[in-house]
């Protein structure tokens, strides 16, 4: 199957077959990261700009590593060190970056829709590295890669997503991705953190984490997105941890081989206790490792041509 997308903006825009192709390509890219010499010439001569308007550890670092492992040239800019602080608009910034002929612009922005707006204005491929409360497609792809790797399939699984659903772009992208791939998704959290109408995405809703965890093959815990809330939606972190933090009792209701996931950063002792985050069911660092492979796959499929990188 040929991959003909210009941009990666959301999981909604990817067909099931395209997601399968990305995950298969990521599987072969992972092998490159396990070699002594972790570099292939596939994207030699290509230029990738990483433009992050919000803090990031995992996404930014893994995009940069992915590009470098494929031999692309990379440049990173942040809002605080760019001329945005002098009043330049986002679109003017994007057009000026475009004038330097990058092949891909990877953008994270606090405003939902910012990557879509830029994608319409530039010839370069645009990859959404997280926009506001809207979408985080590469996180959903690396989450699906991790589950498929551990379970062999995504179809027929029960996936529980627990926490601050309302403010989470990870939740939104994972709901769309896992349901598209044939999983059943149940969401749980405080009523103030479950958006009304979420059932229209094809998910089940519960306000009890034990109900959500029951028979789950996968539990994805979410961080409370305090930076996206106006007023606090719960009395205190301790109160939140008591009612919606993951517990051993909830995990015991899940399948014996349940995977515990978290996109990071973790608030240890709030949404997840350290002994579960670091425990035998946790695949949190596998998610991080697979983030590099998924981002290598996307860069390759967008601008790499037909040659297979792992053949180099
Ligand atoms: N999961 C995730 O997006 O982490 P960062 O914010 O560190 O990139």
């Amino acid at each position: 199957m040929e991959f003909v997308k210009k941009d990666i903006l959301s999981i909604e825009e990817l067909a099931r077959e395209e997601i399968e192709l990305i995950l298969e390509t990521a599987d072969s890219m992972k092998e490159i990261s396990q070699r002594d010499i972790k570099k292939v010439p596939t994207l030699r001569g290509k230029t990738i700009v990483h433009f992050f308007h919000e803090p990031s550890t995992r996404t930014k670092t893994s995009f940069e590593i992915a590009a470098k492992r494929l031999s692309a040239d990379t440049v990173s800019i942040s809002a605080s060190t760019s001329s945005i602080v002098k009043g330049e608009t986002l679109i003017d910034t994007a057009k000026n970056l475009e004038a330097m002929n990058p092949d891909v612009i990877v953008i994270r922005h606090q405003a939902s829709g910012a990557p879509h707006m830029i994608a319409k204005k530039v010839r370069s491929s645009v990859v959404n590295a997280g926009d506001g409360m809207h979408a985080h497609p590469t996180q959903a792809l690396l989450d699906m890669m991790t589950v498929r790797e551990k379970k062999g399939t995504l179809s027929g699984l029960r996936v529980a997503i627990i926490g601050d659903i309302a403010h989470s772009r990870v939740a939104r992208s994972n709901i769309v991705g896992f349901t598209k791939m044939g999983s059943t998704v149940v969401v749980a959290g405080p009523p103030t953190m479950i958006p009304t109408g979420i059932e229209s995405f094809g998910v089940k809703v519960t306000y009890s984490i034990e109900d959500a965890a029951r028979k789950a093959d996968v539990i994805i815990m979410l961080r409370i997105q305090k930076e996206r809330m106006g007023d606090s939606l719960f009395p205190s972190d301790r109160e939140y941890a008591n009612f919606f933090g993951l517990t051993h009792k909830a995990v015991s209701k899940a399948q014996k081989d349940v995977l515990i996931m978290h996109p990071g950063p973790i608030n240890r002792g709030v949404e997840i206790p350290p002994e579960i985050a670091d425990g035998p069911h946790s695949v949190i660092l596998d998610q991080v490792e697979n983030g590099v492979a998924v981002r290598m796959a996307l860069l390759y499929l967008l601008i790499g041509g037909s040659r297979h990188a792992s053949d180099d």
Side-chain angles (χ1 to χ4, degrees):
M1 181 193 171
E2 212 184 345
F3 193 82
V4 290
K5 293 257 176 286
K6 169 183 170 283
D7 308 303
I8 304 289
L9 300 174
S10 71
I11 295 292
E12 281 90 335
E13 294 166 15
L14 295 171
R16 183 180 173 134
E17 296 71 29
E18 288 170 326
I19 293 175
E20 275 164 6
L21 176 62
I22 293 166
L23 300 185
E24 280 163 19
T25 308
D27 286 342
S28 62
M29 291 293 171
K30 188 166 176 174
E31 185 270 324
I32 295 171
S33 294
Q34 290 161 346
R35 296 179 189 172
D36 277 350
I37 309 292
K38 303 171 184 61
K39 205 172 183 76
V40 293
T42 311
L43 297 188
R44 194 164 46 201
K46 304 287 186 185
T47 306
I48 299 172
V49 174
H50 298 111
F51 189 18
F52 277 64
H53 277 246
E54 278 189 337
S56 169
T57 297
R58 282 146 288 271
T59 311
K60 185 167 185 289
T61 310
S62 62
F63 261 115
E64 295 219 12
I65 288 175
K68 288 181 194 314
R69 291 207 171 143
L70 295 173
S71 299
D73 297 313
T74 65
V75 182
S76 286
I77 55 172
S78 65
S80 62
T81 56
S82 76
S83 287
I84 282 185
V85 292
K86 301 176 202 161
E88 190 167 39
T89 67
L90 182 62
I91 290 296
D92 279 337
T93 304
K95 284 183 175 168
N96 279 267
L97 294 175
E98 170 79 350
M100 299 179 222
N101 294 311
D103 297 282
V104 182
I105 299 173
V106 177
I107 177 161
R108 168 171 286 191
H109 201 280
Q110 67 277 9
S112 299
H116 301 67
M117 195 169 73
I118 289 174
K120 286 193 190 127
K121 301 280 183 191
V122 299
R123 291 182 310 279
S124 318
S125 289
V126 174
V127 180
N128 181 0
D131 64 322
M133 297 190 286
H134 174 236
H136 196 345
T138 64
Q139 179 70 44
L141 289 165
L142 74 88
D143 289 346
M144 288 189 277
M145 177 182 177
T146 305
V147 173
R148 183 173 169 273
E149 186 176 73
K150 304 288 179 193
K151 300 283 185 188
T153 183
L154 297 173
S155 179
L157 299 181
R158 181 177 165 92
V159 178
I161 305 179
I162 298 172
D164 182 4
I165 309 293
H167 300 95
S168 173
R169 55 196 178 203
V170 175
R172 233 169 290 278
S173 291
N174 268 330
I175 287 167
V176 176
F178 277 100
T179 52
K180 197 172 271 195
M181 302 309 284
S183 303
T184 297
V185 177
V186 52
V187 299
T192 49
M193 292 182 178
I194 305 276
T196 49
I198 187 101
E199 293 89 344
S200 66
F201 283 81
V203 301
K204 298 176 181 168
V205 177
T206 171
Y207 303 109
S208 150
I209 69 162
E210 287 177 21
D211 280 351
R214 191 164 289 117
K215 291 194 165 57
D217 299 286
V218 178
I219 296 175
I220 301 176
M221 298 306 295
L222 299 173
R223 182 176 67 86
I224 305 160
Q225 308 265 307
K226 287 182 182 165
E227 71 274 26
R228 300 190 209 290
M229 285 176 197
D231 295 330
S232 183
L233 299 177
F234 54 94
S236 67
D237 284 1
R238 188 194 290 188
E239 203 81 8
Y240 184 90
N242 283 343
F243 286 98
F244 290 99
L246 190 58
T247 59
H248 290 287
K249 189 170 176 205
V251 173
S252 74
K253 311 262 182 210
Q255 301 287 1
K256 284 196 169 48
D257 58 352
V258 64
L259 304 178
I260 307 292
M261 303 176 69
H262 193 303
I266 291 173
N267 286 314
R268 287 174 180 265
V270 182
E271 69 269 10
I272 189 166
E275 65 275 15
I276 297 181
D278 303 327
H281 294 286
S282 173
V283 292
I284 293 171
L285 294 179
D286 300 79
Q287 292 172 260
V288 178
E289 181 181 10
N290 288 339
V292 175
V294 154
R295 287 156 183 141
M296 287 171 79
L298 288 173
L299 295 175
Y300 167 69
L301 290 167
L302 285 170
I303 59 167
S306 56
R307 215 153 40 97
H308 207 286
S310 57
D311 297 338
D312 287 318

